[in-house]
């Protein structure tokens, strides 16, 4: 081979080796995203960063959760838990503040949000710039996987381990459904029939019990002392002649905190009486908010929140106009042992209550119906099955021109147009601006759907046939101008636990819908 040909061959070989080395180096180079937490800089493999979002305006606090779990928020139909990385390293670190960023990590189809102070940049990191942190044999690996050294050793980044971040104890694991076709198929399969629940607030968070679990919702009665009173049990109440333990729901969520005393001045507090297995348990809550209807696929997953009473959490119902509500599985709140102690203990310790129950059963008769009570100048009751749901009054009501004076306007409720009726105006009552307690009762019949604006919703009560009476003729006289009472065919009269009596005019939504169908012009009907 001639000397020029040999030189050309050598040059080609060197070039090929250079290309191969460059390809190998490029293959070994990895992309990382950097984030700041105070003065410290962290890095995550770009492949596991799904997106970065601003701190959500609405974060739902999770009960029984560790300090490093900031809460959860809903992102395009998926519940994302947020881990406060600062508190993970230092429990005394502060909470999230406006301006923080949340990096959504997706690893092994699990989604978790990491809270940082700010974002950095996208980095291309070569193998020699990376180092791996070695843990002692048998030790549990931490969330720091290694380091990246840049700028000739003047810049150090700590590499976070995505595999460990999604497995932090008591942080819920939420699976990511990537295929929209799969989501639609699962939605169609899970749709099922419509369900209803009653939402309430406790410890600053909204929860809900399914309607089937609730026997009654009442104002806080005078509680009787009980030797079983402790961290959870406030005492006992007389419920239809039987002793029922009253549990402080906030203390239940606080995992060991002492039960708080009943605040007689708090007009919002309620007692929710629920049936759990074969036992009746009452819960003291801060307030009862509304009735929500939902389908199976509306319940977003929030798996294990805590080892304590983890079975009570059924999922999250996300409502853009009202906020997130944690749906509870009432059957998983207490262990069988706890239920037996509360039920059998009270029955054995207070046999007199049991005797009163037996005597009461002999004197009472007839079937029971469940009613929702509300206020509109006076106290009214409506059979709860006539109410689709309850929502807070909203200013997002559009009033079309030419609508009658008693029609407040039209409300877009989850892509359903609802005509909102001002009940005060319809029945000639004095005008009153809607307040914090005002509610809209959503009623429907077939394709007809209305929202009834009332002053406030009070309780859910169970009424015996013997407690319902035909309304007096004088009250039902249309010519007498008795307003809503003129349309009440029945009156409920029942004795409260304190011995006083209370009465309600029974309102029939069907009659109102008939009336509105005749009054409203066709274009104003929903």
């Amino acid at each position: 081979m001639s000397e020029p040909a040999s030189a050309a061959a050598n040059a080609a070989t060197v070039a090929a080796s250079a290309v191969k080395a460059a390809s190998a180096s490029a293959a070994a180079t990895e992309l990382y995203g950097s984030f700041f937490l105070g003065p410290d800089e962290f890095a995550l493999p770009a492949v596991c960063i799904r997106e970065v979002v601003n701190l959500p305006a609405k974060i739902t606090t999770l009960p029984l959760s560790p300090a490093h779990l900031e809460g959860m928020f809903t992102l395009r139909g998926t519940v994302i838990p947020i881990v406060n990385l600062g508190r993970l390293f230092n429990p005394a670190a502060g909470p999230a503040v406006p301006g923080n960023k949340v990096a959504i990590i997706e690893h092994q189809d699990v989604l978790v949000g990491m809270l940082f102070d700010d974002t950095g940049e996208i980095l291309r990191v070569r193998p020699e710039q990376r180092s791996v942190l070695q843990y002692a044999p048998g030790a549990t690996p931490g969330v720091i996987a290694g380091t990246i050294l840049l700028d000739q050793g003047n810049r150090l980044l700590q590499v976070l381990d995505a595999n460990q971040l999604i497995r932090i104890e008591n942080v819920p694991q939420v699976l990511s459904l990537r295929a929209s076709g799969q989501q639609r198929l699962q939605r169609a399969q899970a749709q099922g029939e419509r369900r209803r629940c009653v939402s309430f607030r406790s410890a600053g968070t909204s929860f809900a019990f399914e309607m089937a679990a609730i026997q009654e919702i009442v104002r806080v009665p005078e509680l009787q002392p009980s030797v079983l009173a402790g961290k959870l049990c406030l005492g006992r109440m007389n419920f239809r002649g039987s002793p029922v333990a009253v549990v402080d729901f906030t203390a239940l969520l606080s995992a060991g905190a002492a039960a708080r005393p009943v605040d007689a001045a708090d007009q919002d507090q309620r007692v929710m009486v629920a049936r759990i297995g074969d036992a009746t348990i009452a819960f003291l809550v801060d307030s009862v908010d509304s009735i929500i209807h939902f389908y199976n696929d509306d319940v977003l997953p929030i798996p294990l929140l805590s080892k304590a009473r983890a079975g009570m959490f059924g999922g999250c119902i996300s409502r853009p106009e009202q906020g997130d509500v944690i749906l509870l599985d009432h059957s998983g709140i207490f262990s069988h042992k706890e239920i037996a102690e509360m039920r059998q203990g009270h029955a054995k310790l207070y046999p007199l209550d049991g005797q009163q129950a037996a005597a009461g059963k002999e004197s009472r008769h007839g079937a029971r119906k469940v009613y929702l009570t509300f206020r509109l100048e006076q106290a009214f009751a409506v059979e709860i099955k006539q109410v689709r749901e309850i929502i807070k009054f909203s200013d997002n009501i559009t009033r079309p021109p030419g609508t009658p004076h008693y029609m407040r306007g039209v409300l877009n409720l989850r892509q359903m147009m609802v005509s909102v009726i001002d009940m005060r105006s319809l029945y000639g009552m004095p005008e009153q601006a809607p307040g914090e307690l005002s509610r809209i009762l959503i009623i429907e019949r077939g394709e007809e759907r209305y929202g009834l604006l009332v002053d406030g919703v009070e309780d859910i009560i169970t009424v015996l046939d013997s407690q319902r009476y035909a309304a007096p003729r004088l009250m039902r006289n249309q010519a007498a101008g008795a307003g809503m009472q003129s349309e009440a065919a029945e009156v409920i009269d029942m004795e409260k636990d304190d011995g006083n009596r209370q009465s309600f005019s029974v309102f029939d939504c069907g009659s109102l819908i008939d009336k509105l169908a005749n009054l409203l012009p066709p274009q104003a009907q929903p």
Side-chain angles (χ1 to χ4, degrees), residues 52-57 59 73 82 97 99-104 115 119:
V52 178
V53 299
N54 293 324
L55 183 71
I59 297 178
F73 74 107
I82 300 178
V97 296
N100 287 162
K101 302 293 183 181
V102 178
I104 309 300
L115 183 72
T119 56

Side-chain angles (χ1 to χ4, degrees), residues 60 157 243 266 270 295 326 360 429 501:
T60 301
L157 294 84
D266 191 342
R270 292 290 187 274
Y295 294 95
I326 297 176
M429 299 178 185
R501 305 198 70 81

Side-chain angles (χ1 to χ4, degrees), residues 352-370:
L352 182 59
D353 289 343
Q355 296 171 8
Q356 292 173 347
K361 289 179 181 178
E362 293 177 1
S363 60
R364 298 173 184 175
H365 57 85
R368 295 184 174 96
K369 289 185 179 181
V370 180

Side-chain angles (χ1 to χ4, degrees), residues 6 26 38 54 64 99 150 195 210 233 239 303 330 347 366 413 491 501:
S6 177
N54 293 324
L64 300 175
L150 303 175
R195 297 156 64 187
E210 285 217 53
C233 184
F239 179 65
H330 60 280
L413 182 65
V491 173
R501 305 198 70 81

